[in-house]
Amino acid sequence: MQTVSTVLDSISDVGRDTSRGGYSRGVFTSAELSLREWFAAEATARGLAVETDRNGILWGWWDVTGSRDGALVTGSHLDSVPGGGAFDGPLGVASALAAVDLLRERGVQTHRSLAVTVFPEEEGSRFGVSCLGSRLLTGSLDPDHVRSLTDTDGTTFADAARSAGIDVAHLGRDEEAARRIGDFVELHVEQGRGLIDLDSAVAIGSTMLGHGRWRLSITGQGNHAGTTLMADRADPMVAAAQVVLAARRIAAEQEGARATVGRLQPVPGGTNVIASRVDLWLDVRHEEDAVTAQLIEKIHGQAQKICAFEGCRATLTEESRSSTVHFDGALQRTLHNALGRSFPGTPTLPTGAGHDAGILGSIAPTAMLFVRNPTGISHSPEEFVERDDADAGATALADVLEDLL
């Protein structure tokens, strides 16, 4: 059996970002398409039957019965944030493949089909909607809206998906795929310091923090940077800067809240040009959905006041929103029992990040395993997993899958 790190080493050069550092693997870009081909080859080498469904989700099937309905499913994603780390997404996919190897080495006889999956656009880094593949599968996204989404270069999701061989006429709720998922277990690198502080290699997920993404467009008056007096300006960049600070202040006043502006785009973006418009994207999170709604309302209200003072206008558009998810209690107990032998005392941790497992919880019992990240840093080149911890995670996943099978 290959170690998880060995499997990951084979894709370590794919999608390297020489300007940002780390990896940029946007969905349906050349890097992500290469990783999809890599997965198909790895799954086929393990005797798994590979297929791509109507929403671009990859499935590698270990068939043992005449029906795939109610199968046990595991996997993650291969796309990344711009300049992301090596483990967010690929660790879960590589660990699932390694777990298949372990199950075969153990001679596990199963009476239930198993599938390893890869979900597209989990990060939402290219088209702005996180967990897009799983949302399409479950029917929580309008296919017409998805087809019209555009990236920063103006390419539509429809065109990008067609380039990957997907018939975009059939995007949307997939009843067949939904029936196939009896239970879903996702392994992921931990995106925080919980496990390093607990001195444990793995943990079981308890909840996933509710969150949403909003685009705030601030419109002012584009003009010449040299000829326009300061008193005569309606500069949306000045308003945007104040909104960023206001979002931080409003979130800091609410216990457990997070508010982040990680992307800001001036139009037209010239050095000697006062922008005519600035688009900024807000990521807001809290365990209580009502509080998340209150936070975004407060930020929007403050943005309106700031823009009025600066002679600008603000328009807020919701791009995605997910409620707080409590992972299936019975499945969590199954995971604790399965890990009791090799990983006694496995801790339970919440996560502030979003995952496909949270979206799929609307159609099937779902659970998560987290693997220790000694830096506590994620969505960054500094994200890390020790080789021994990666193998421990794959072993834990195999233990869980064996019990569920």
Side-chain angles (χ1 to χ4, degrees), residues 297-376:
E297 184 178 346
K298 287 181 180 179
I299 294 169
H300 185 210
Q302 190 63 35
Q304 296 283 12
K305 292 179 181 178
I306 291 168
C307 286
F309 183 80
E310 296 292 343
C312 299
R313 300 183 306 278
T315 303
L316 185 71
T317 304
E318 181 180 307
E319 294 195 336
S320 66
R321 193 191 304 210
S322 299
S323 298
T324 292
V325 173
H326 297 268
F327 292 113
D328 186 82
L331 195 51
Q332 285 187 56
R333 289 190 290 275
T334 298
L335 266 63
H336 276 290
N337 290 336
L339 299 180
R341 297 181 294 275
S342 300
F343 300 90
T346 302
T348 301
L349 288 177
T351 177
H355 301 283
D356 290 305
I359 305 301
L360 297 174
S362 66
I363 61 169
T366 63
M368 292 198 70
L369 288 172
F370 297 117
V371 177
R372 177 166 49 196
N373 175 356
T375 67

Side-chain angles (χ1 to χ4, degrees), residues 72-74 96 99-100 103 114 185 338 396-405:
L72 175 58
V73 183
T74 186
V100 169
L103 292 173
L114 171 69
V185 181
L397 180 60
D399 291 348
V400 166
L401 298 178
E402 183 174 354
D403 269 29
L404 288 167
L405 289 168

Side-chain angles (χ1 to χ4, degrees), residues 9-87:
D9 286 345
S10 68
I11 58 171
S12 61
D13 291 330
V14 180
R16 281 194 179 274
D17 193 320
T18 56
S19 60
R20 298 183 182 94
Y23 296 88
S24 292
R25 297 162 167 171
V27 68
F28 303 144
T29 61
S30 60
E32 199 259 1
L33 290 173
S34 293
L35 293 179
R36 290 166 70 88
E37 292 175 0
W38 163 83
F39 170 77
E42 290 285 340
T44 300
R46 289 166 170 79
L48 306 182
V50 179
E51 65 177 26
T52 304
D53 71 13
R54 60 196 290 180
N55 293 308
I57 302 166
L58 292 171
W59 301 73
W61 284 97
W62 180 355
D63 290 311
V64 295
T65 67
S67 173
R68 291 174 172 175
D69 288 355
L72 175 58
V73 183
T74 186
S76 193
H77 62 97
L78 292 170
D79 65 298
S80 77
V81 298
F87 301 92

Side-chain angles (χ1 to χ4, degrees), residues 137-373:
L137 185 158
T138 58
S140 63
L141 278 180
D142 177 4
D144 288 334
H145 172 64
V146 171
R147 280 185 279 264
S148 67
L149 293 171
T150 58
D151 65 11
T152 55
D153 294 325
T155 302
T156 65
F157 182 87
D159 287 341
R162 284 193 198 98
S163 73
I166 297 165
D167 184 352
V168 296
H170 298 108
L171 294 178
R173 170 80 181 188
D174 190 337
E175 297 292 348
E176 180 183 6
R179 286 196 307 272
R180 289 175 171 183
I181 304 175
D183 298 287
F184 181 76
V185 181
E186 180 174 2
L187 180 144
H188 205 278
V189 59
E190 191 203 0
Q191 295 170 289
R193 289 193 51 84
L195 283 170
I196 191 65
D197 292 339
L198 291 169
D199 193 26
S200 177
V202 296
I204 296 167
S206 57
T207 59
M208 190 180 85
L209 200 63
H211 67 284
R213 294 183 184 183
W214 289 262
R215 183 177 75 251
L216 185 66
S217 294
I218 301 176
T219 305
Q221 177 60 63
N223 215 327
H224 194 291
T227 62
T228 310
L229 298 177
M230 301 304 289
D232 295 337
R233 301 185 179 202
D235 189 342
M237 185 65 81
V238 173
Q242 295 176 65
V243 170
V244 172
L245 295 174
R248 177 184 174 90
R249 174 180 54 77
I250 290 168
E253 291 170 351
Q254 175 67 56
E255 185 177 357
R258 286 89 150 156
T260 306
V261 176
R263 179 182 167 201
L264 186 148
Q265 184 174 322
V267 178
T271 304
N272 59 347
V273 179
I274 300 168
S276 59
R277 189 182 81 244
V278 174
D279 294 329
L280 58 87
W281 282 260
L282 279 163
D283 182 304
V284 180
R285 308 185 187 219
H286 192 273
E287 63 179 354
E288 296 181 26
D289 300 334
V291 175
T292 301
Q294 292 167 7
L295 288 166
I296 197 67
E297 184 178 346
K298 287 181 180 179
I299 294 169
H300 185 210
Q302 190 63 35
Q304 296 283 12
K305 292 179 181 178
I306 291 168
C307 286
F309 183 80
E310 296 292 343
C312 299
R313 300 183 306 278
T315 303
L316 185 71
T317 304
E318 181 180 307
E319 294 195 336
S320 66
R321 193 191 304 210
S322 299
S323 298
T324 292
V325 173
H326 297 268
F327 292 113
D328 186 82
L331 195 51
Q332 285 187 56
R333 289 190 290 275
T334 298
L335 266 63
H336 276 290
N337 290 336
L339 299 180
R341 297 181 294 275
S342 300
F343 300 90
T346 302
T348 301
L349 288 177
T351 177
H355 301 283
D356 290 305
I359 305 301
L360 297 174
S362 66
I363 61 169
T366 63
M368 292 198 70
L369 288 172
F370 297 117
V371 177
R372 177 166 49 196
N373 175 356

